[in-house]
Amino acid sequence: MSADAKDGTGTGTEPPGAGAAGVAGEPSEEPTAKGAVSAPGPDGVPRKSSRRFPLFTRDTARPEGGGRAAPGDAPAPARQWPLLVVVSVVALGLLLTAFDVFRVGTILVGLGLLAGAVMRWTLPGVGMLAVRSRFTDMVTYGVLGLAIVLLAMMAQPDPWLVIPFLDDTLHFTISS
C-alpha cells in the first residue's frame, strides 16, 4: 500500500497499482473503485454497478440480447442463426412474390418478421437480430409483420380476409 493511500492524502487519479508500491518492488494491491462496484471488467479493474448512463458516452451500447446466439468459437452462421432464419424466410417470400405468387410471398415476409419478434422475446441472445431494446425490437418486428400479413390477406382480387369497415372507408374516400 502506498504512503498516500495509508494516510488518505492520495489524489485518487493514479491508476491502480501505480505509485510507491509498484516502484519499490512491493506486491501491488488489488485495484479499487469508489462507490458500489461489481465484478471486474475485462481489464481487471472493478466496474461501477450503476446502470445509469454516463454524462458523456464514448461508445454505443450493445442492445440487450445482442450477444452471440452460439459460443464464440462456433462459425459465423451458427452464431447468427436467428438473423439468418428471418432473412431466409423474407428472401423466400420476396422470391415467391417475384414469381407472381404475391399473396403467399408477402405472407411469408410478414411471418418472417413475426418469427423475429417471437425469437427476440423468447431467446436470451439473438445476435445481430437485436438492434434496439428488446421491447422496441419486439414491437417493431411484430407490428410490421402483422401489418404485412393482414394486408396480404386483404389484397384484391379475392381477399382471404374481409374487414367491412375498411371496405366502407375505402369506398367513402374514393366517392368523396
Side-chain angles (χ1 to χ4, degrees):
M1 184 178 279
S2 68
D4 288 341
K6 285 181 185 174
D7 64 6
T9 60
T11 60
T13 58
E14 301 167 345
V23 175
E26 297 174 11
S28 61
E29 296 179 17
E30 295 275 331
T32 59
K34 294 180 180 178
V37 294
S38 64
D43 56 352
V45 178
R47 300 178 298 199
K48 290 194 172 193
S49 62
S50 173
R51 291 182 49 98
R52 235 180 232 179
F53 287 108
L55 186 58
F56 299 103
T57 57
R58 293 185 185 91
D59 198 3
T60 304
R62 177 187 296 184
E64 56 183 84
R68 294 182 175 124
D73 57 346
R79 290 192 310 261
Q80 299 298 331
W81 70 267
L83 178 68
L84 290 175
V85 167
V86 172
V87 168
S88 298
V89 171
V90 169
L92 178 64
L94 291 174
L95 184 68
L96 288 174
T97 303
F99 285 123
D100 210 21
V101 188
F102 169 77
R103 193 178 313 266
V104 175
T106 51
I107 287 175
L108 269 178
V109 170
L111 289 177
L113 290 173
L114 287 173
V118 169
M119 283 190 278
R120 190 68 174 99
W121 182 31
T122 58
L123 299 176
V126 290
M128 290 173 48
L129 189 61
V131 179
R132 296 157 295 262
S133 71
R134 185 178 305 267
F135 176 78
T136 306
D137 282 343
M138 286 181 348
V139 169
T140 303
Y141 295 145
V143 167
L144 289 176
L146 186 65
I148 290 172
V149 168
L150 289 177
L151 288 172
M153 293 174 71
M154 292 188 298
Q156 298 290 334
D158 302 322
W160 293 356
L161 177 66
V162 176
I163 300 177
F165 76 89
L166 289 179
D167 194 35
D168 295 339
T169 305
L170 178 66
H171 289 290
F172 176 74
T173 58
I174 292 176
S175 66
S176 295

